[in-house]
Amino acid sequence: MQWRALVLGLVLLRLGLHGVLWLVFGLGPSMGFYQRFPLSFGFQRLRAPDGPVSPALGPAGPSGPSWLQPPVPGAAAGRRRAPRRPGPGMCGPAHWGYVLGGRGRGPDEYEKRYSGAFPPQLRAQMRDLARGMFVFGYDNYMAHAFPQDELNPIHCRGRGPDRGDPSNLNINDVLGNYSLTLVDALDTLAIMGNSSEFQKAVKLVINTVSFDKDSTVQVFEATIRVLGSLLSAHRIITDSKQPFGDMTIKDYDNELLHMAHDLAVRLLPAFENTKTGIPYPRVNLKTGVPPDSNNETCTAGAGSLLVEFGILSRLLGDSTFEWVARRAVKALWNLRSNDTGLLGNVVNIQTGHWVGKQSGLGAGLDSFYEYLLKSYILFGEKEDLEMFNAAYRSIQNYLRRGREACNEGEGDPPLYVNVNMFSGQLMNTWIDSLQAFFPGLQVLIGDVEDAICLHAFYYAIWKRYGALPERYNWQLQAPDVLFYPLRPELVESTYLLYQATKNPFYLHVGMDILQSLEKYTKVKCGYATLHHVIDKSKEDRMESFFLSETCKYLYLLFDEENPVHKSGTKYMFTTEGHIVSVDKHLRESPWKEFFSEDGGQNQEGKSVHRPKSPELKVINSSSNCNRVPDERRYSLPLKSIYMRQIDQMVGLI
């Protein structure tokens, strides 16, 4: 009997070890959570269509997934080598169904399902659903939360700064006790054509919102959410064409512009007394930089202020705001690695030393790259485009992994990873949901093929969970951080890709996102953050960007006749989704020569009348854009291979 017990024990031990490997290394269904959407991305054993498993390849080929490998020299955009013809057992287009868990359904059925016309009635239904989503959230905020900053949609009450715990930066960085959600939603009301509510909301902001508050806020969040919205709404009110309907305000005397000026002046102390010109991350709106302020800031937070500050300067005719923002951008740019051209994600504003050496496209860096390009689109400053092109080349050289061509050749599909800024070596195996903005940025520069592939990766994750986890480990094929705070980045890229391709597939993606939000996040008084994307538990918070971005992009995706698309005016969206018309007025800079003349800061670090920005070093500055990005229009149809790959990725075939 003892030997039988011993044998049974050994068998159970072996089964237990297999179970651990099954769960840890993603070799199985992982407790059933992923059975519905088998997203594998090359980690299964590769099979030839009619052949057995190749034992030489192992779980992921001879040397592991290509995402784990160093980038291939010469694989940057515009100079990628021609892909080799896939051999037996290699991951070429014909093998996607096997590698990604598909069953090989033919392209005709797929194209019939997704590439056919999206019925006008269905589009109108989805447009109305997106508008209803915004109205439900906005009305409940006004009924239960205003004048506080945010709505707690589960308990139907308002939320303001956490006065009891100043260290609660998750709340206090964003909430400044200035009716944030109302301010942030102004231009969404206009885009949806609700002139009466827009006019009412503007008057309410003018009459009730003040920035003379004892509130310590993050400079970046106050700039993109509040300053940007005030400037956008001001431009809508004063637009002589009034494309969205009559959004004029009787006796309007530029009050929103004056409020924007007041807020920006209160943010200016962040730029003083720093040895690098990179701003402090936080200021108190009444007293300036707190005495115990942190000297460390993220690259995106310090380097993504130029659009809003530049607009304000050009509307006021005052160079101060654009200069301090531009000086911060150039200071960060001059700290990039001489070897890779990459920047890190956290820097010391006094020493210029990189505290965080991770370089990627997500949190800490995302909008820095976005605003290099968008600043050029708005202001026409050539150096902004030169910096963006050099940065994009470094991104393609060191962050982009996977096969060289998006839709053909062997290897894993393209992915952008996190690397060490100095060596380009892989630092971890996760990406975060903020990176989902990048396909939209690629659309603006015309790299539509790569945008399609990267968007497909994020949509595949959405299909698996009905939301995007804040951080996803692509090696383990599981979330590292499980919450989803109603972020807009995937919707934004979906909208821009539809505008670029006009392929109905992206309308289906938008419908899927809309239905997921309705199913999993709608609560009694609004839409709630998902605490856990798998079990769908919720947190009692509806951040302001849900109304200013997520609902806006969903609405515009389905509203083909919107003035944004039909008025003839070129529009650009800020990183917070605020709409700005691109016109000659913003490209006129009477102080342009000041940026290259002698001047700078006095000994106290305060700006003088004729400032000088740090000298710009340009590396690899040959332009990838032959024309102004905002004038480019794309009607490129999706190739059927893209569509099959996407379908296989999300487990629909």
Side-chain angles (χ1 to χ4, degrees):
M1 295 298 293
Q2 290 181 348
W3 69 269
R4 291 181 179 176
L6 179 61
V7 169
L8 179 60
L10 290 173
V11 170
L12 292 175
L13 178 62
R14 182 171 182 176
L15 289 173
L17 289 173
H18 276 286
V20 170
L21 292 172
W22 188 274
L23 294 174
V24 171
F25 294 102
L27 301 177
S30 188
M31 298 185 291
F33 289 130
Y34 310 145
Q35 292 184 39
R36 185 177 178 188
F37 302 112
L39 178 67
S40 302
F41 289 104
F43 295 108
Q44 298 178 4
R45 292 179 181 269
L46 303 184
R47 296 175 184 265
D50 298 312
V53 175
S54 172
L57 290 174
S63 55
S66 61
W67 297 335
L68 290 170
Q69 307 308 313
V72 178
R79 53 190 183 93
R80 295 182 190 135
R81 297 174 298 176
R84 291 175 292 167
R85 188 176 183 84
M90 287 189 166
C91 184
H95 300 262
W96 268 83
Y98 295 87
V99 174
L100 300 181
R103 294 187 290 277
R105 188 173 299 171
D108 291 342
E109 182 173 345
Y110 182 85
E111 290 173 3
K112 180 179 179 181
R113 189 194 322 159
Y114 275 135
S115 296
F118 197 87
Q121 298 85 351
L122 183 58
R123 170 177 280 194
Q125 182 183 349
M126 291 300 103
R127 179 200 62 206
D128 293 343
L129 180 59
R131 180 195 285 121
M133 180 178 290
F134 171 83
V135 170
F136 185 67
Y138 177 84
D139 286 352
N140 274 286
Y141 166 78
M142 295 303 298
H144 302 290
F146 177 81
Q148 296 190 69
D149 288 307
E150 283 182 353
L151 170 67
N152 288 353
I154 296 176
H155 290 98
C156 304
R157 59 189 181 211
R159 178 199 296 267
D162 187 351
R163 302 296 192 189
D165 183 9
S167 66
N168 185 1
L169 301 180
N170 182 46
I171 297 297
N172 293 329
D173 270 358
V174 178
L175 309 188
N177 193 23
Y178 37 40
S179 302
L180 173 64
T181 297
L182 174 63
V183 175
D184 213 0
L186 289 177
D187 65 308
T188 308
L189 288 166
I191 286 174
M192 291 186 178
N194 193 340
S195 58
S196 60
E197 189 61 35
F198 174 79
Q199 293 163 345
K200 176 182 175 183
V202 168
K203 292 176 182 177
L204 203 55
V205 168
I206 292 172
N207 293 329
T208 66
V209 174
S210 169
F211 302 118
D212 188 22
K213 305 281 188 180
D214 183 17
S215 297
T216 299
V217 296
Q218 192 185 85
V219 175
F220 171 70
E221 295 289 0
T223 297
I224 66 170
R225 300 202 196 200
V226 182
L227 182 63
S229 185
L230 293 172
L231 293 170
S232 177
H234 168 74
R235 299 266 291 170
I236 289 171
I237 294 168
T238 57
D239 187 346
S240 61
K241 298 179 181 178
Q242 288 296 301
F244 302 108
D246 184 8
M247 301 293 163
T248 59
I249 306 292
K250 185 179 180 180
D251 299 325
Y252 180 71
D253 191 23
N254 298 322
E255 286 90 349
L256 295 185
L257 181 60
H258 297 321
M259 293 179 68
H261 185 202
D262 177 47
L263 174 60
V265 168
R266 295 174 186 274
L267 298 177
L268 279 181
F271 298 87
E272 300 173 1
N273 302 313
T274 76
K275 296 179 181 178
T276 62
I278 301 170
Y280 285 92
R282 298 171 184 87
V283 296
N284 183 287
L285 295 177
K286 187 181 286 285
T287 62
V289 177
D292 58 347
S293 186
N294 191 349
N295 283 326
E296 297 174 1
T297 189
C298 70
T299 302
S304 304
L305 310 171
L306 183 52
V307 166
E308 290 83 3
F309 274 49
I311 293 172
L312 180 63
S313 273
R314 296 182 185 225
L315 291 179
L316 294 174
D318 180 351
S319 66
T320 303
F321 306 100
E322 180 175 345
W323 175 65
V324 295
R326 189 171 293 278
R327 180 184 59 168
V329 170
K330 292 180 180 179
L332 288 164
W333 182 249
N334 287 332
L335 295 174
R336 71 198 185 282
S337 167
N338 291 328
D339 296 322
T340 66
L342 297 172
L343 294 87
N345 58 346
V346 180
V347 67
N348 186 297
I349 66 173
Q350 302 296 352
T351 66
H353 292 156
W354 289 105
V355 179
K357 299 177 179 62
Q358 176 177 299
S359 190
L361 299 178
L365 275 158
D366 50 353
S367 54
F368 176 81
Y369 300 122
E370 178 185 3
Y371 268 23
L372 289 179
L373 180 61
K374 291 186 174 180
S375 294
Y376 170 70
I377 292 173
L378 273 182
F379 308 131
E381 301 289 349
K382 183 180 178 181
E383 60 188 3
D384 295 333
L385 181 60
E386 291 173 338
M387 285 188 286
F388 175 80
N389 284 331
Y392 193 70
R393 187 179 297 276
S394 294
I395 288 168
Q396 295 295 85
N397 274 329
Y398 293 98
L399 272 60
R400 188 186 188 278
R401 303 291 172 87
R403 60 172 173 254
E404 294 175 13
C406 171
N407 68 317
E408 55 186 333
E410 74 276 13
D412 296 299
L415 182 69
Y416 292 82
V417 298
N418 300 318
V419 303
N420 182 288
M421 64 172 289
F422 295 109
S423 67
Q425 296 298 309
L426 187 71
M427 288 193 69
N428 51 58
T429 59
W430 52 259
I431 42 85
D432 63 58
S433 64
L434 289 170
Q435 184 185 321
F437 91 97
F438 198 66
L441 190 64
Q442 290 180 308
V443 167
L444 293 182
I445 61 168
D447 200 351
V448 179
E449 291 191 10
D450 256 18
I452 289 168
C453 281
L454 186 58
H455 174 273
F457 176 83
Y458 279 92
Y459 177 51
I461 299 173
W462 183 284
K463 287 294 295 183
R464 175 181 286 180
Y465 304 108
L468 270 187
E470 189 73 350
R471 184 180 291 177
Y472 182 83
N473 191 307
W474 46 260
Q475 185 180 39
L476 299 180
Q477 302 175 65
D480 277 351
V481 179
L482 286 153
F483 70 89
Y484 168 65
L486 308 174
R487 289 200 188 278
E489 283 76 18
L490 179 60
V491 185
E492 175 185 8
S493 290
T494 302
Y495 164 65
L496 291 171
L497 270 165
Y498 177 69
Q499 292 301 313
T501 66
K502 296 300 180 182
N503 193 288
F505 169 76
Y506 294 105
L507 299 177
H508 286 275
V509 174
M511 181 170 66
D512 189 23
I513 294 172
L514 258 174
Q515 292 172 340
S516 296
L517 291 171
E518 282 290 310
K519 180 178 181 180
Y520 298 126
T521 71
K522 190 173 185 178
V523 292
K524 182 179 179 182
C525 292
Y527 295 84
T529 292
L530 285 183
H531 175 72
H532 196 293
V533 296
I534 296 175
D535 67 24
K536 303 300 186 293
S537 56
K538 300 173 181 63
E539 295 180 14
D540 197 9
R541 187 177 188 186
M542 187 180 82
E543 292 217 42
S544 67
F545 53 65
F546 177 69
L547 299 183
S548 71
E549 296 185 82
T550 308
C551 292
K552 178 185 293 164
Y553 287 128
L554 283 168
Y555 179 80
L556 286 173
L557 175 64
F558 295 107
D559 190 19
E560 188 74 3
E561 302 302 315
N562 195 277
V564 172
H565 310 132
K566 296 292 186 180
S567 68
T569 302
K570 295 182 176 67
Y571 291 100
M572 191 194 77
F573 294 93
T574 71
T575 195
E576 184 72 7
H578 297 306
I579 194 167
V580 180
S581 59
V582 181
D583 55 44
K584 292 175 62 176
H585 180 67
L586 291 180
R587 288 184 167 232
E588 296 171 356
S589 174
W591 56 83
K592 184 174 181 178
E593 66 276 11
F594 292 175
F595 294 144
S596 59
E597 294 182 3
D598 292 336
Q601 291 183 319
N602 59 22
Q603 293 180 351
E604 288 75 32
K606 297 182 179 180
S607 59
V608 295
H609 179 62
R610 298 173 72 83
K612 177 184 177 182
S613 298
E615 182 180 356
L616 173 66
K617 296 187 301 181
V618 179
I619 58 173
N620 298 328
S621 60
S622 59
S623 174
N624 292 327
C625 300
N626 296 323
R627 292 176 288 174
V628 178
D630 61 292
E631 293 177 350
R632 303 189 71 165
R633 293 292 182 266
Y634 307 97
S635 57
L636 178 70
L638 289 179
K639 297 178 181 178
S640 61
I641 185 66
Y642 294 148
M643 309 304 295
R644 290 198 298 275
Q645 288 175 357
I646 292 170
D647 207 8
Q648 288 159 350
M649 275 191 263
V650 301
L652 295 175
I653 62 175

